Amino acid sequence: MAPTVAPIAAAPAASNVPIGKDGKPLKPCCACPETKKARDQCVLNNGEENCLELIKSHQQCLRDLGFKI
């Protein structure tokens, strides 16, 4: 009698991941580079508490792309 082998499960579909212009899934770290750069520079120079508008702007950009944050 041959040993039984469990089937390999397929990876879950990434249907809820935003897709970039190149057709590949976007990563939060690489999305919205303009707002991310402005936010990061402000936080480095002025501290997080002084950059709330830029932080909110970046978060909104990510939401607009479909990220759930």
Side-chain angles (χ1 to χ4, degrees):
M1 183 175 203
T4 59
V5 177
I8 298 174
S15 61
N16 59 351
V17 176
I19 304 298
K21 292 178 183 177
D22 61 0
K24 296 180 182 178
L26 283 175
K27 298 177 186 177
C29 63
C30 303
C32 301
E34 298 85 14
T35 57
K36 181 180 178 183
K37 183 177 180 179
R39 177 206 63 185
D40 291 350
Q41 193 65 42
C42 182
V43 170
L44 284 172
N45 293 333
N46 306 309
E48 185 176 338
E49 64 280 354
N50 297 310
C51 301
L52 297 179
E53 287 303 313
L54 290 172
I55 292 169
K56 289 178 184 178
S57 176
H58 183 60
Q59 290 173 337
Q60 187 59 52
C61 180
L62 292 172
R63 286 186 192 105
D64 291 345
L65 289 175
F67 289 101
K68 303 207 184 302
I69 59 165

